[in-house]
Amino acid sequence: MYPYRFSNLLIGYLNLGTLLASIPIIGAGLWLAKGSTATCSSILQTPLLVVGFVVLLISLAGFVGACFHVAWALWLYLVAIMLLIAFLLGITAFGFAVTAGGGGTQIPGRPYREYHITDYSSWLQNHMQDMKYWKPALACVVGSKACAKIANWTPMDYLQHDLTPIQSGCCKPPTACQYSGGMPVGAQDEDCYRWNNAANILCYQCNSCKAGVMEQIRQDWHKISVLNVIVLVALICICSCGCCAFRNARRSLSEYPYGVNRMSKINPRWDYYWYSAKCFSCTLNCFASWQLFFLCKIDFRIENIELY
């Protein structure tokens, strides 16, 4: 029977939980791939499936290795956890770098903010300017019905209620724009000329709309980064427990002291019995030596007494 130490039990239960949690993740990815035709949902199917299968395989290796003392499975598990920690560190640092800046500008007398594309990193700007990335993002904006929620607002509502970054950038013209008879007057921002009251046009082609999308990405990414930091701390703790479980899996079940005679498998190493026999032989030799010493000492005292 295997000795279930605390680290092995902890790793076993943790990986059993993540193993079960990976099943609905894979199911959600398969459902999106088969039953959902919305662009915003379908783009999530590949990441969900990849994450689900990776978590399933890692959890399976950790569970088997910790509960059944399979050293090679725990070794694979620890390598995967370390790679995952390095990946999360890299992606978190990269996310903070590309989402730096932004935040928008507060409009005087209005509860909402307006956003400018030049306030964001060049990497994010280039992605939003590339139609390969902008078309799916725009499809998500239109599909979210964000503009339909404020379609019936009055000018007073804009003075009293806040707007999301998407609504501020895509569903209305910039506040600084001036119109006469529905047409912009004088030299103004280019977005003032791109605006149209038609529900399928609005300001979807404005730079302010792209800035609103980037601001939403920035806010979402910062929330994800906080979660990433929590996950990193948890993974480092799990990795530490996994190292203890890996060490336990390589130890012997016998009770003899660990030392030069440390074993690499469940059964004792080849030199264990030789070592034990050698120790027993040394003990016998020592005992014989002490016997001889006491006998000589007794003989010496007897001779001294006879001389007197």
Side-chain angles (χ1 to χ4, degrees):
M1 185 175 179
Y2 298 110
Y4 290 105
R5 296 178 174 86
F6 175 75
S7 58
N8 296 70
L9 287 173
L10 180 60
I11 290 296
Y13 281 122
L14 284 174
N15 284 283
L16 179 61
T18 54
L19 182 67
L20 296 176
S22 66
I23 297 174
I25 295 175
I26 295 173
L30 292 174
W31 177 79
L32 287 174
K34 183 178 180 181
S36 179
T37 57
T39 305
C40 297
S41 299
S42 61
I43 61 175
L44 298 175
Q45 66 189 35
T46 302
L48 278 177
L49 287 173
V50 171
V51 169
F53 279 112
V54 168
V55 170
L56 177 67
L57 294 176
I58 292 177
S59 301
L60 186 61
F63 179 76
V64 172
C67 293
F68 299 99
H69 287 233
V70 182
W72 64 265
L74 275 175
W75 184 83
L76 291 177
Y77 171 75
L78 290 174
V79 170
I81 289 292
M82 291 177 184
L83 291 175
L84 188 58
I85 289 173
F87 173 76
L88 281 178
L89 279 172
I91 201 69
T92 302
F94 175 77
F96 276 120
V98 300
T99 57
T105 304
Q106 184 67 50
I107 303 301
R110 308 292 177 97
Y112 58 82
R113 291 174 174 266
E114 289 187 346
Y115 307 91
H116 304 90
I117 195 170
T118 54
D119 293 339
Y120 299 89
S121 66
S122 58
W123 185 88
L124 205 54
Q125 290 183 44
N126 293 334
H127 265 63
M128 286 296 104
Q129 298 292 353
D130 190 341
M131 294 304 295
K132 180 175 65 174
Y133 298 101
W134 174 240
K135 282 185 177 180
L138 182 59
C140 290
V141 170
V142 175
S144 67
K145 308 294 184 183
C147 294
K149 298 175 183 177
I150 63 172
N152 296 322
W153 276 21
T154 64
M156 187 59 66
D157 291 324
Y158 286 94
L159 295 174
Q160 297 175 346
H161 302 290
D162 196 6
L163 297 172
T164 66
I166 299 294
Q167 290 173 335
S168 176
C170 304
C171 305
K172 67 171 190 60
T175 305
C177 293
Q178 298 179 1
Y179 295 92
S180 177
M183 298 295 294
V185 178
Q188 301 186 65
D189 191 288
E190 292 181 0
D191 286 348
C192 299
Y193 296 92
R194 296 189 180 108
W195 162 260
N196 192 299
N197 279 322
N200 61 336
I201 298 178
L202 298 179
C203 212
Y204 291 140
Q205 299 303 323
C206 298
N207 285 332
S208 62
C209 187
K210 295 177 181 177
V213 172
M214 287 191 285
E215 176 62 23
Q216 193 66 54
I217 292 173
R218 188 188 74 86
Q219 293 180 6
D220 292 342
W221 186 261
H222 283 184
K223 295 175 185 177
I224 294 173
S225 296
V226 173
L227 179 62
N228 283 348
V229 172
I230 296 174
V231 171
L232 277 171
V233 173
L235 284 176
I236 291 172
C237 295
I238 291 173
C239 189
S240 301
C241 292
C243 290
C244 295
F246 178 71
R247 181 190 59 190
N248 294 337
R250 301 191 63 185
R251 281 183 173 176
S252 170
L253 300 179
S254 63
E255 299 298 329
Y256 71 91
Y258 300 120
V260 296
N261 202 33
R262 186 180 300 277
M263 295 179 297
S264 59
K265 295 183 179 179
I266 296 301
N267 297 320
R269 202 171 61 184
W270 64 271
D271 62 344
Y272 168 61
Y273 299 106
W274 173 82
Y275 179 80
S276 300
K278 184 178 178 181
C279 290
F280 180 70
S281 174
C282 290
T283 304
L284 289 179
N285 290 336
C286 290
F287 180 73
S289 298
W290 277 104
Q291 260 191 332
L292 181 63
F293 174 75
F294 280 115
L295 287 174
C296 291
K297 190 173 182 180
I298 291 171
D299 290 342
F300 178 74
R301 287 182 178 180
I302 292 174
E303 289 178 359
N304 287 342
I305 292 172
E306 289 177 353
L307 290 174
Y308 283 106

